[in-house]
Amino acid sequence: AFFTHVPDNLQIINLVVDIIFATDIVVTFNVAFTVPSALTNDLYERSPIKIARQYAGIPCTKACSAGWFWIDFLTIFPWDQVGCKSVRYLRIFRLLRMMRLVRIVKIFGRWHSRLGTSYSTLNVLKCAAITVGVLHWLTCFWGYLGWQARDSGETTWLKAYAAGHHEGIEGFTMYDVYNLAMYYCTMTLTGVGFGDVHASGMFEVALSTITMFTTGFMWAWVVANIVNVVGNLDAYSTWFQKLNDDLNMLMSSRDLPTHLQMRARK
């Protein structure tokens, strides 16, 4: 959202990630895929030629299981190095890299099958990753709103913050804007608002309302998942307590003597 030229440190990170995904593409050409069978259990196709045809076939065919090579290739193609001069088209090409999220899910699925991590840990990590991802996207959006209008006469949340702290907006770097936008989005997500960073103008107020609805549902989903994980940490204890509650209800409905109830509970 901010960079027209990616800094060197981020280029190194992108290069490492691209190498990992390129390696996974090569590995996928040697990974068997399932072939549904009505008579027996699902079979695995191990022929390298058929695996290559499946992986490099027409995208989104065969129930969206074929042709993923082309999508994976688009996510690692160096769009910044092909000589694209338009900043707008360059940002659109960079959005294609978001399709690698599908690839990340598949890679983590393989790791989970191999390592056998508990689903409780997996759910907590999934909540954390999705929350950070949504916050990052919202932060980029709000940061871009403030950054792109810094030289114009339009009033933005960034200018309002700078005026409230008696600072010049020209002193803010891209990292400062990202930090402030992340601060605002995190406050909106958790419902803890201090009022030092706020929307300015009717357009930003409308967007802030949409952000509140989005983060509100997001936070409710996170809390529900955490409560579910905590409640299932000791499944046997929960089952035992429910069994005792049912027993107490049954004994009370039958008017059993107290000493007999005590014996049953023991």
Side-chain angles (χ1 to χ4, degrees):
F2 302 98
F3 299 116
T4 55
H5 174 71
V6 181
D8 294 338
N9 55 347
L10 293 182
Q11 284 185 359
I12 295 175
I13 297 176
N14 283 335
L15 179 60
V16 173
V17 174
D18 288 342
I19 291 175
I20 294 175
F21 277 89
T23 304
D24 185 71
I25 288 177
V26 175
V27 172
T28 305
F29 275 104
N30 297 276
V31 175
F33 63 91
T34 57
V35 179
S37 175
L39 300 178
T40 60
N41 294 329
D42 291 345
L43 304 177
Y44 286 92
E45 181 58 65
R46 295 179 174 85
S47 173
I49 297 178
K50 293 184 179 180
I51 293 175
R53 289 177 179 173
Q54 172 82 1
Y55 186 44
I58 301 175
C60 299
T61 57
K62 298 181 180 179
C64 293
S65 62
W68 282 97
F69 166 77
W70 308 107
I71 299 176
D72 295 338
F73 176 76
L74 290 176
T75 62
I76 65 171
F77 188 80
W79 298 104
D80 299 345
Q81 310 298 327
V82 296
C84 182
K85 302 300 182 181
S86 174
V87 176
R88 177 178 297 180
Y89 287 116
L90 183 59
R91 284 174 174 155
I92 293 175
F93 288 142
R94 285 177 181 170
L95 287 176
L96 294 175
R97 289 178 172 264
M98 293 180 62
M99 292 188 296
R100 67 175 57 183
L101 294 174
V102 180
R103 196 69 183 168
I104 291 176
V105 173
K106 292 184 177 181
I107 293 176
F108 275 101
R110 293 180 193 170
W111 289 354
H112 179 249
S113 299
R114 179 177 294 273
L115 299 177
T117 309
S118 68
Y119 280 97
S120 297
T121 303
L122 190 64
N123 287 335
V124 172
L125 294 177
K126 181 176 68 174
C127 284
I130 294 178
T131 302
V132 172
V134 172
L135 280 177
H136 171 71
W137 290 333
L138 291 174
T139 297
C140 290
F141 182 75
W142 278 98
Y144 179 73
L145 286 179
W147 183 258
Q148 59 89 23
R150 65 190 184 280
D151 296 327
S152 65
E154 182 182 355
T155 302
T156 62
W157 66 269
L158 183 61
K159 291 181 179 180
Y161 176 85
H165 289 75
H166 306 287
E167 299 179 14
I169 194 173
E170 63 277 356
F172 289 99
T173 64
M174 288 183 291
Y175 296 102
D176 294 333
V177 176
Y178 182 88
N179 187 29
L180 287 172
M182 175 64 78
Y183 171 69
Y184 171 72
C185 292
T186 304
M187 286 194 304
T188 306
L189 173 69
T190 58
V192 181
F194 298 107
D196 50 347
V197 181
H198 56 83
S200 180
M202 297 306 298
F203 178 69
E204 288 190 354
V205 168
L207 291 178
S208 182
T209 303
I210 296 175
T211 303
M212 290 177 188
F213 272 105
T214 303
T215 55
F217 283 111
M218 182 73 194
W219 191 241
W221 176 76
V222 170
V223 172
N225 275 273
I226 297 300
V227 170
N228 182 57
V229 169
V230 173
N232 291 322
L233 286 177
D234 192 356
Y236 292 106
S237 177
T238 303
W239 174 81
F240 176 76
Q241 293 173 6
K242 183 180 183 305
L243 185 63
N244 274 270
D245 289 340
D246 293 341
L247 177 62
N248 290 329
M249 186 181 301
L250 177 62
M251 292 187 299
S252 176
S253 64
R254 296 298 182 180
D255 293 327
L256 294 183
T258 303
H259 68 279
L260 187 57
Q261 293 186 23
M262 293 178 58
R263 288 179 60 186
R265 294 190 187 103
K266 291 181 180 181

